[in-house]
Amino acid sequence: MEWINTILQGLLLGCLYALFASGLSLSFGIMRIVNIAHGDLIVLAGFSAAAITAPLLRSGIPLWATVVIFFAIVAFFAFANYLLQRYVLNRTLGRDLLAPLLVTFGFSIVLQNAMVEIFSANVRRIDLGEFATASWSPLPGISLGVLPLVTALTAVVLILGLQWFFRVTPLGRAFRSVSDDPETAQLMGMNPKNLYALAMGFTGATLAIAGIFFLMRAAVAPTDGPARLIYAFVAVIIGGLGSLWGTLVGGILLGIAQAIGAALNPGWGILAGHLIFLLVLIIRPNGLFPKTLDR
């Protein structure tokens, strides 16, 4: 039962990693952009939620009322990422993949320093009181946190919704078209740059959700963004670049590997995750599910 509990804890942690990675998977799958600032945007979204909700929670506002604030933050980051892609990153797109990497790398440095200046270097978290420590025991010897369960359910529903959106809706099919062949899509009357901006808006929404759940579960420093980017990137590579279901599987494998490694030795958690990453690269260099946008 102890090992079953460890694997379940790793699975729940992996769903959080899948939330980190879903936006990165979208940006690469559609625009072929690896956003180096992705982790810092996750942290910024979480810090924004913590800064706004902390005084309200101390004043006695009901916990459920903060959900409205969280939705507003998600909408804001969706719009901000839309503007970022439309007016900045679209200018860097082309045959050279180095330009967007350099721009987002510079943006990452600016964000980290801005967060240190605005929020100080201290760690922050979203204090949910008893909800943060509540647990559920489906069987003797197994204890699952309610907040990690909600996080995992959100990750699965989000990825299910994105997969349905890209498979069924006209806008989703347009995203897939510009991902495959932007020149032909433009000849058919589509505007790839407008679609790229809309896609980055979806990315902004997913990373904001990830950032909010991240600060609900842990105390985070303003400089923790690069570590989130690494976990997101590892999950995306394990699953396959641009594959949404692969991203979910990759995050879960990474979380389970870290949980098992930490159970064997407290210092082996992160190492075990990297070893799984290397093993997948050796066996399947293109990832487990190398399909763009789950076609």
Side-chain angles (χ1 to χ4, degrees), residues 128-206:
L128 299 180
E130 294 181 357
F131 181 73
T133 57
S135 62
W136 173 56
S137 298
L139 293 172
I142 294 179
S143 179
L144 304 176
V146 173
L147 179 57
L149 281 172
V150 173
T151 305
L153 180 62
T154 302
V156 173
V157 169
L158 178 67
I159 289 176
L160 268 174
L162 288 172
Q163 184 183 17
W164 173 86
F165 176 81
F166 284 111
R167 282 183 176 273
V168 176
T169 66
L171 182 57
R173 289 193 290 268
F175 284 145
R176 290 162 57 183
S177 297
V178 297
S179 171
D180 280 343
D181 193 338
E183 291 80 10
T184 302
Q186 191 168 11
L187 291 174
M188 298 298 292
M190 301 177 191
N191 188 328
K193 291 191 174 181
N194 285 345
L195 290 169
Y196 291 157
L198 287 172
M200 189 58 83
F202 281 93
T203 297
T206 61

Side-chain angles (χ1 to χ4, degrees), residues 16-25 38-39 42 225-239 241 247 250-251 254:
L16 178 63
Y17 290 158
L19 273 181
F20 292 161
S22 57
L24 195 65
S25 181
H38 184 80
I42 289 174
R228 302 317 109 195
L229 174 67
I230 291 174
Y231 292 148
F233 194 68
V234 168
V236 170
I237 294 297
I238 290 175
L241 289 170
T247 296
L254 177 62

Side-chain angles (χ1 to χ4, degrees), residues 13 17 231 253-276:
L13 176 62
Y17 290 158
Y231 292 148
L253 286 178
L254 177 62
I256 291 175
Q258 288 187 355
I260 292 175
L264 294 173
N265 186 301
W268 290 358
I270 296 177
L271 175 62
H274 293 326
L275 290 177
I276 286 294

Side-chain angles (χ1 to χ4, degrees), residues 5-275:
N5 193 56
T6 298
I7 292 171
L8 289 175
Q9 300 301 330
L11 187 149
L12 297 179
L13 176 62
C15 286
L16 178 63
Y17 290 158
L19 273 181
F20 292 161
S22 57
L24 195 65
S25 181
L26 282 178
S27 63
F28 185 85
I30 298 174
M31 287 88 69
R32 301 295 189 268
I33 288 178
V34 178
N35 184 1
I36 302 299
H38 184 80
D40 300 292
L41 288 168
I42 289 174
V43 173
L44 177 60
F47 267 59
S48 301
I52 295 172
T53 58
L56 296 176
L57 289 171
R58 285 196 297 267
S59 66
I61 186 176
L63 186 60
W64 61 264
T66 60
V67 175
V68 178
I69 299 171
F70 294 154
F71 274 113
I73 291 171
V74 170
F76 172 79
F77 273 83
F79 183 64
N81 272 257
Y82 169 85
L83 295 178
L84 174 65
Q85 180 67 40
R86 186 176 181 87
Y87 295 107
V88 179
L89 295 181
N90 273 344
R91 300 174 183 270
T92 68
L93 297 179
R95 296 184 181 277
D96 187 6
L97 297 178
L98 183 61
L101 282 174
L102 292 175
V103 170
T104 55
F105 175 71
F107 189 45
S108 170
I109 295 174
V110 170
L111 282 178
Q112 287 183 48
N113 286 276
M115 283 190 286
V116 170
E117 288 295 324
I118 296 171
F119 301 110
S120 79
N122 296 329
V123 297
R124 292 202 179 197
R125 69 178 303 163
I126 299 173
D127 186 8
L128 299 180
E130 294 181 357
F131 181 73
T133 57
S135 62
W136 173 56
S137 298
L139 293 172
I142 294 179
S143 179
L144 304 176
V146 173
L147 179 57
L149 281 172
V150 173
T151 305
L153 180 62
T154 302
V156 173
V157 169
L158 178 67
I159 289 176
L160 268 174
L162 288 172
Q163 184 183 17
W164 173 86
F165 176 81
F166 284 111
R167 282 183 176 273
V168 176
T169 66
L171 182 57
R173 289 193 290 268
F175 284 145
R176 290 162 57 183
S177 297
V178 297
S179 171
D180 280 343
D181 193 338
E183 291 80 10
T184 302
Q186 191 168 11
L187 291 174
M188 298 298 292
M190 301 177 191
N191 188 328
K193 291 191 174 181
N194 285 345
L195 290 169
Y196 291 157
L198 287 172
M200 189 58 83
F202 281 93
T203 297
T206 61
L207 67 85
I209 294 170
I212 291 169
F213 276 110
F214 182 37
L215 263 78
M216 287 180 183
R217 293 189 54 174
V220 182
T223 54
D224 283 346
R228 302 317 109 195
L229 174 67
I230 291 174
Y231 292 148
F233 194 68
V234 168
V236 170
I237 294 297
I238 290 175
L241 289 170
S243 171
L244 292 173
W245 277 120
T247 296
L248 178 61
V249 173
I252 289 173
L253 286 178
L254 177 62
I256 291 175
Q258 288 187 355
I260 292 175
L264 294 173
N265 186 301
W268 290 358
I270 296 177
L271 175 62
H274 293 326
L275 290 177

